[in-house]
Amino acid sequence: MPDNGNELGMSVDIEPVVESDGEREEPTVIKADSASDNQATPWLAVTILLLIAIFDVCVLMIPIPIAPEFVEGRLKLSGPHVGVAVGLISSAYHLGNSISSAMMGDISDVHGRKPVILLGMLTSCVSVVLFPLSTTLWMAVGNRFLCGFFNANITMTKSSLSDLSRTWDADRRNMVFGYLGAAWGLARFFSSAFVGFTSGIMLPFLPFAADNPFFFPCFASSCFVLLTTIAAALFLPETLPLRSRENRTNASDAQITRFRGTTMLGRLRDLKHFGGSALLKLLVLHMFHQGLNGGIVTCFVLLLALSDGEGGYGMSANEVGLVFSFYGVVGLFFQVFCYGPLCKTFGIRKSYAVGKADAVLGH
């Protein structure tokens, strides 16, 4: 077989997946010059990647707790239009992200993870600070769409951690990815809590935001994103070595190291070739999970924020933030204390099934 070159630049021989009679043979990977499994964990790089994940989720969640009040107070919409507007604002980020994610993945394979991460961070910084200045629904939706289109940092963070941990033992990989899950869950809810708690703080010395109660939480979040961007630019190493990137641009290796499909169906065929039907099933499950989870969060916020006459609980943005902070504490506790033992006891597959069942029952 030709020399493929893995994510860390190590020479490997990979036999393609072969399916027959409903069973799939696992690919054979032979390491030729792997690093020691006992190498030190690059905690500085891991910490920066966790910070990137935290503030990337903050960017995703910032509009959620203030969305109903923002739509009514800033965009001047009312009645049934509020729910529609909140749904459009919440989904615009994901729409832009889904359109560009494959392209961003290809760019990172050729030019490295770090440039794509920095692009996403800078775009998020600008987008977040401009969002509360929107005066029409389509300005707000367009802002969120562009923010999602140029931001692939959730995927890039996972890819970078995968690059760094390629030669680690399973326990250390599970530990670091458990930290990533904890950081993601913590940021998802505490960012909403922060925005909810700080909504209403005025900045009278800024003429364009003197009467805007939504500007301060977005501005403060943008500052945190900017500081993380500077830290990443200065201290985050490129996790995909130059050798691996050169292999991906080599025409003789194109059939092995790059997707050949340019359409969605073509890429799905490529995924099945490299990972078998199990990978496609996992992607479909993840797609449904993410879609339904996003819808549930939006509906939950509307339930909390809409008035009694509209079927909600009439909570303010500050009270919505308090509710999300409670969920953040519960999520952090589970990720830190329960994720590892569950995976060791039941395995990843059964733990995933338990998590999905718990989500169904809870919702």
Side-chain angles (χ1 to χ4, degrees), residues 23 55 68 72 110 127 133-134 148 162 215 224 257 296 333 339:
E23 297 183 355
F55 290 114
E72 292 179 331
V110 175
S127 173
L133 302 179
S134 302
S162 180
F215 183 77
F224 289 130
T257 61
I296 288 170
F333 179 86
Y339 175 79

Side-chain angles (χ1 to χ4, degrees), residues 98-273:
S98 64
I99 291 174
S100 67
S101 58
M103 176 186 68
M104 291 297 183
D106 285 342
I107 292 173
S108 74
D109 284 343
V110 175
H111 300 287
R113 316 292 191 209
K114 187 172 180 177
V116 178
I117 288 175
L118 293 178
L119 173 64
M121 295 292 285
L122 288 173
T123 303
S124 297
C125 184
V126 175
S127 173
V128 167
V129 80
L130 292 179
F131 175 76
L133 302 179
S134 302
T135 55
T136 67
L137 174 60
W138 299 115
M139 285 179 64
V141 171
N143 176 288
R144 298 299 294 168
F145 176 85
L146 291 176
C147 183
F149 185 86
F150 290 103
N151 191 335
N153 283 347
I154 292 178
T155 301
M156 289 298 105
T157 301
K158 293 178 181 178
S159 298
S160 297
L161 283 177
S162 180
D163 295 339
L164 288 173
S165 62
R166 187 68 62 178
T167 60
W168 298 355
D169 58 84
D171 287 342
R172 190 154 45 140
R173 280 177 66 92
N174 287 340
M175 176 187 68
V176 171
F177 276 93
Y179 289 157
L180 178 62
W184 200 91
L186 178 68
R188 178 167 187 175
F189 294 104
F190 277 108
S191 61
S192 297
F194 171 78
V195 173
F197 287 144
T198 57
S199 176
I201 296 178
M202 300 296 186
L203 300 176
F205 54 88
L206 295 177
F208 58 87
D211 60 346
N212 191 331
F214 311 106
F215 183 77
F216 176 79
C218 294
F219 174 74
S221 301
S222 180
C223 290
F224 289 130
V225 174
L226 179 60
L227 291 175
T228 306
T229 304
I230 295 173
L234 294 177
F235 303 113
L236 180 66
E238 175 54 62
T239 60
L240 188 63
L242 180 62
R243 176 181 173 184
S244 295
R245 286 176 266 157
E246 289 174 345
N247 286 342
R248 282 168 165 75
T249 59
N250 189 326
S252 64
D253 291 338
Q255 291 186 347
I256 296 176
T257 61
R258 290 182 62 82
F259 286 149
R260 289 169 289 176
T262 57
T263 65
M264 183 63 71
L265 290 177
R267 287 179 179 273
L268 288 175
R269 285 194 297 268
D270 290 337
L271 287 172
K272 185 176 182 181
H273 172 74

Side-chain angles (χ1 to χ4, degrees), residues 5-21:
N6 69 359
E7 301 289 345
L8 289 177
M10 300 181 294
S11 290
V12 296
D13 288 339
I14 301 179
E15 297 179 6
V17 174
V18 179
E19 294 190 2
S20 60
D21 299 329

